[in-house]
Amino acid sequence: MAEEHDHEHEPLPEGVPPVTRRGLLFNLGLGANVVAASMIGIPIIGYVFSAVFKEKAQQAWIPLGRIEQFPEGQTRLATYTNPFRRPWDGFVADIPCWVRHIENDNFQIFAINCAHLGCPVRWFPQSGLFMCPCHGGVYYEDGSRASGPPPRGLYEYEYRIRNGHLEVRGGETPNLSESV
Amino acid sequence: MKIFASIYQWLDDRLALGRLYDQSIGHRIPASASSWFYVFGSATLACLAIQLVTGTCLALVYVPSPEFAYASIEYLDYTQPFGWLLRGLHFWGSNFMVALVTIHMIQVFLFGAYKYPRELTWVVGSTLFLCVIAMAFTGQGLRFDQDGYWGLEIVMSILGRIPFVGMEATHLVQGSPIISGATLSRFFTIHVFVVPAVIISLLVIHIRLVLLMGISEYPVAGKKIDPETYREDYEKLVERTGERLMPEGGGKDLVFTALILTAIVTCAVVIGPKIPNGPADPSLIHTVPRPDFYFLSLFAVFALMPPYMESFSIVYLLPLSIVILFAVPFISRGQERHWSKRPGAIITVVLVMTSLVILAYEGLTSPWSPHMNAWSGVPIQPQFVQGRTPLEHVGATIVQGKQCRNCHSIDGTGGKRGPDLSGVATRLTYNQLVRQVLQGDGNMPAFGRHLSPYEVTALVSFLHTLHPENEPPSQNSAPEPAPPISTDPY
Ligand code: FES
């Protein structure tokens, strides 16, 4: 009633909607809910998207084994533990890679994943080739592309040697978007 | 009896059950819509019901952790009473659902039922179709066996090809920079909570649209849709010939649905659920991943596409094909509904379906995959070594020992990735064979670094003998230079 009374006395200029108690309350309520929803929503987005933000563990040096396990001139399968391992991960935390010991401190560590579509490549010492079981991609012993659909050679991980141990920076499965 | 009547009356008074019936399963449809061609939508709905019930029950036992997923599936198969049956129902229910939703779409497409005023029904339905595919994919991932694990790796490699944000996209889906328990949890959540919620919401809209727009009348050749008068005509048609969906119009739906349900139960009992092929263990690399049947054609496309097209197709063509699917009612705006007046529609269906079937067949046989064990496991038939010189025998051994057979078959056995070697001497001259072996070409790696000159000579001398008896090996038109190792004793 009070509002109507006011309007009668002071008509608002054309085009300006009257501010009523109800309207104010509605807008206030709407705004407060937007604030409250973002207080809930932003942490949820952070929770779901946290996987995207680079984590320190991705850069971690992960032990692969003693150098003696990799005889010179040979290429061997090795596994390391996923630095993001969760206690219930089981076998899946054992990430395989190919270790090629060239000579002395010279190594090459290849991701197991074919550069084409990620299938596990296999090493054949007899012909000195990595072959992919999926679509017949083939790589030479130094990881360079030999033939088939892969658009590039095998992905290589960085490595270092500490106290006779080989360590690898394998905290991320490589793919074509950002090649290791 | 009186008591039931009064309970019903009390409920009807509160819930308006009579009105609900009139507006839903009792709504009036044109008599021509009661057709054996119109039964696929309701059968898909029945599959959804099976999936919801069996899925909920399976979740009582299944553990979405890499360590226990396999064990819990084995528990379902061998220990839990009826666990194997429920897994079978869920597996076959999904197969039937993918098939039926596809047939439903083809029927709607061929009958022009997506045209005015039912465009939005098609768009919502297409989204539902994509949801069903998403369910099938995430569901097969939940088996988390060897195939499931490497299937995920393949999909992540595909995602990784998205420009600029490829890595971020894979990490978001994987829940971690490497496939792990986090990935399985995400797939579980998507399969069990997210997509089902989307499906149920969209289904409500889909059915509301079906009720609001009415079930399309059986198309008549030559009868045109005129947006000006269509709705009026439809209402008149319903008034004239209409009958209630249930019980008059829906008898065929009921019979067909019962048939489908029986078929699902039969498959589940007779064939059973899909057995997981070993717990996911990435360090067991001796695996050849194969997707479930609905992805075989996509799998084949990626194998057969020339490499330079791959990233382009993944980034542009795949999304484009989805956009085209959604845009069907806005692209095809002709007023004719009957298929006999729409040859384009028939050609589209025939082309798409034959491509899918051929690709799926190729995906099943995968001739492009090398046989990783052929070099050590496939014999060589006597006629290919009989009467050969010792040097040529050494060559035959090299063909096996250097993994040539993984990609090349001899007499049909071995890999199909490269050409069969049985008659290779008729296609390449001695010198061309040497060049091919040493330098490789296109799809063949160069073996130069891993063969000594002696081995090359032996290998090529052997290959040079591989020709049919009455067809001589090919020769240079110019005289050939002397072979590197002379067979002349002096
Ligand atoms: S994934 Fe290796 S060739 Fe396709």
Side-chain angles (χ1 to χ4, degrees):
Chain A
M1 280 295 119
E3 295 121 26
E4 273 174 32
H5 184 77
D6 283 348
H7 291 166
E8 272 171 32
H9 286 277
E10 286 174 55
L12 286 164
E14 193 93 5
V16 177
V19 176
T20 59
R21 266 177 204 241
R22 298 224 151 135
L24 191 68
L25 206 59
F26 180 78
N27 288 334
L28 201 72
L30 206 61
N33 271 297
V34 168
V35 173
S38 45
M39 285 195 299
I40 300 168
I42 290 172
I44 288 180
I45 291 174
Y47 180 93
V48 174
F49 280 75
S50 61
V52 178
F53 310 130
K54 301 248 168 201
E55 288 181 53
K56 265 247 256 354
Q58 224 164 291
Q59 296 301 320
W61 288 107
I62 313 155
L64 255 186
R66 293 195 61 78
I67 295 198
E68 295 83 74
Q69 287 172 245
F70 307 103
E72 234 175 65
Q74 290 196 20
T75 300
R76 291 200 169 177
L77 189 70
T79 55
Y80 61 86
T81 306
N82 181 356
F84 300 95
R85 182 179 186 280
R86 292 180 183 182
W88 54 91
D89 270 3
F91 297 137
V92 171
D94 297 334
I95 310 300
C97 60
W98 289 107
V99 178
R100 174 185 184 218
H101 191 169
I102 307 171
E103 44 163 36
N104 304 329
D105 281 357
N106 266 341
F107 285 85
Q108 272 186 309
I109 302 182
F110 302 112
I112 197 79
N113 305 90
C114 179
H116 178 224
L117 288 176
C119 289
V121 296
R122 263 183 248 180
W123 167 247
F124 288 95
Q126 300 84 354
S127 47
L129 297 171
F130 292 98
M131 291 191 192
C132 176
C134 286
H135 319 107
V138 183
Y139 308 84
Y140 293 116
E141 58 187 338
D142 64 351
S144 56
R145 174 186 177 277
S147 64
R152 51 159 286 162
L154 286 175
Y155 303 108
E156 271 185 62
Y157 294 125
E158 284 175 57
Y159 70 92
R160 70 176 188 190
I161 294 160
R162 283 283 183 280
N163 313 324
H165 282 269
L166 194 59
E167 296 183 344
V168 63
R169 220 174 225 178
E172 177 180 76
T173 306
N175 63 33
L176 281 178
S177 78
E178 193 180 313
S179 310
V180 179
Chain B
M1 278 302 104
K2 242 183 100 193
I3 175 101
F4 289 119
S6 57
I7 289 178
Y8 173 78
Q9 235 151 43
W10 187 89
L11 281 176
D12 185 39
D13 181 52
R14 271 68 171 181
L15 283 170
L17 292 178
R19 194 144 29 105
L20 186 65
Y21 168 79
D22 286 343
Q23 291 172 352
S24 57
I25 55 171
H27 83 290
R28 299 177 74 77
I29 60 168
S32 65
S34 162
S35 145
W36 284 110
F37 285 106
Y38 279 45
V39 295
F40 304 111
S42 51
T44 312
L45 191 63
C47 286
L48 177 69
I50 290 205
Q51 295 307 87
L52 288 176
V53 174
T54 54
T56 308
C57 292
L58 289 175
L60 293 176
V61 173
Y62 177 75
V63 180
S65 97
E67 197 167 6
F68 294 115
Y70 188 79
S72 62
I73 291 174
E74 293 230 298
Y75 185 90
L76 275 167
D77 282 346
Y78 301 116
T79 312
Q80 169 71 32
F82 297 114
W84 64 274
L85 181 64
L86 257 64
R87 274 201 67 229
L89 289 173
H90 202 66
F91 174 67
W92 285 102
S94 78
N95 285 347
F96 273 84
M97 192 163 173
V98 171
L100 284 168
V101 78
T102 311
I103 299 174
H104 179 48
M105 283 180 86
I106 294 175
Q107 182 269 323
V108 166
F109 182 73
L110 283 179
F111 279 54
Y114 56 84
K115 298 194 174 200
Y116 181 88
R118 301 184 180 85
E119 303 94 332
L120 193 57
T121 324
W122 171 272
V123 173
V124 175
S126 301
T127 321
L128 277 165
F129 168 75
L130 294 179
C131 287
V132 171
I133 297 294
M135 287 303 278
F137 177 71
T138 49
Q140 95 185 36
L142 292 190
R143 277 201 303 270
F144 218 64
D145 52 1
Q146 282 292 87
D147 275 0
Y149 178 88
W150 290 105
L152 282 180
E153 288 275 18
I154 294 180
V155 173
M156 294 310 149
S157 299
I158 292 177
L159 277 183
R161 295 200 181 204
I162 300 173
F164 308 117
V165 292
M167 203 44 115
E168 283 73 14
T170 45
H171 290 186
L172 181 64
V173 177
Q174 285 175 186
S176 150
I178 298 179
I179 290 180
S180 63
T183 319
L184 179 55
S185 299
R186 292 209 166 204
F187 272 67
F188 182 75
T189 308
I190 292 172
H191 186 80
V192 173
F193 298 108
V194 181
V195 183
V198 175
I199 287 186
I200 291 171
S201 325
L202 288 174
L203 196 62
V204 169
I205 304 178
H206 196 66
I207 291 176
R208 177 169 169 77
L209 282 165
V210 170
L211 293 175
L212 280 178
M213 299 302 143
I215 294 177
S216 68
E217 73 280 15
Y218 201 92
V220 180
K223 194 158 169 275
K224 301 230 153 84
I225 305 172
D226 182 0
E228 300 277 292
T229 56
Y230 178 78
R231 285 181 198 230
E232 227 173 276
D233 292 348
Y234 182 81
E235 251 154 56
K236 273 189 213 140
L237 185 73
V238 171
E239 228 154 80
R240 218 162 5 95
T241 74
E243 53 191 18
R244 288 174 302 174
L245 176 61
M246 296 291 167
E248 286 98 12
K252 293 181 177 124
D253 291 84
L254 288 179
V255 171
F256 185 70
T257 300
L259 274 178
I260 289 294
L261 295 184
T262 315
I264 293 175
V265 176
T266 311
C267 287
V269 171
V270 176
I271 309 176
K274 181 140 177 168
I275 299 298
N277 64 346
D281 180 349
S283 64
L284 297 180
I285 58 165
H286 288 241
T287 168
V288 183
R290 285 275 176 288
D292 281 1
F293 88 87
Y294 5 82
F295 298 107
L296 277 173
S297 11
L298 204 59
F299 176 75
V301 168
F302 283 123
L304 292 171
M305 202 158 22
Y308 64 87
M309 277 176 64
E310 278 175 358
S311 289
F312 172 80
S313 321
I314 290 168
V315 177
Y316 299 104
L317 293 189
L318 215 58
L320 185 71
S321 55
I322 292 174
V323 170
I324 291 179
L325 176 69
F326 282 121
V328 160
F330 309 102
I331 298 171
S332 131
R333 304 175 62 104
Q335 296 188 320
E336 199 54 68
R337 272 188 58 201
H338 197 267
W339 57 90
S340 65
K341 303 277 180 185
R342 294 165 56 227
I346 296 182
I347 293 173
T348 310
V349 170
V350 170
L351 275 185
V352 170
M353 288 323 284
T354 15
S355 323
L356 285 181
V357 168
I358 292 176
L359 283 169
Y361 174 75
E362 291 289 308
L364 202 63
T365 51
S366 310
W368 51 80
S369 297
H371 287 197
M372 301 301 261
N373 300 322
W375 68 287
S376 53
V378 173
I380 184 156
Q381 293 307 317
Q383 70 266 31
F384 294 100
V385 278
Q386 222 160 36
R388 307 298 209 269
T389 67
L391 182 73
E392 288 156 1
H393 275 199
V394 172
T397 318
I398 292 170
V399 165
Q400 297 291 133
K402 295 288 177 183
Q403 280 89 32
C404 303
R405 291 289 288 280
N406 287 12
C407 291
H408 292 286
S409 44
I410 296 181
D411 210 22
T413 54
K416 305 275 187 296
R417 171 82 206 176
D420 191 298
L421 294 181
S422 315
V424 68
T426 62
R427 298 192 298 271
L428 296 177
T429 66
Y430 188 94
N431 286 348
Q432 286 171 327
L433 281 169
V434 172
R435 199 211 62 81
Q436 184 68 24
V437 167
L438 290 181
Q439 298 179 7
D441 181 22
N443 267 334
M444 177 165 159
F447 282 80
R449 274 187 283 180
H450 282 274
L451 289 172
S452 67
Y454 163 68
E455 287 175 315
V456 176
T457 311
L459 174 60
V460 174
S461 326
F462 170 65
L463 293 177
H464 203 55
T465 67
L466 296 180
H467 57 86
E469 224 176 299
N470 44 11
E471 200 178 335
S474 51
Q475 307 258 310
N476 262 3
S477 48
E480 303 228 359
I485 293 179
S486 173
T487 44
D488 191 332
Y490 298 104

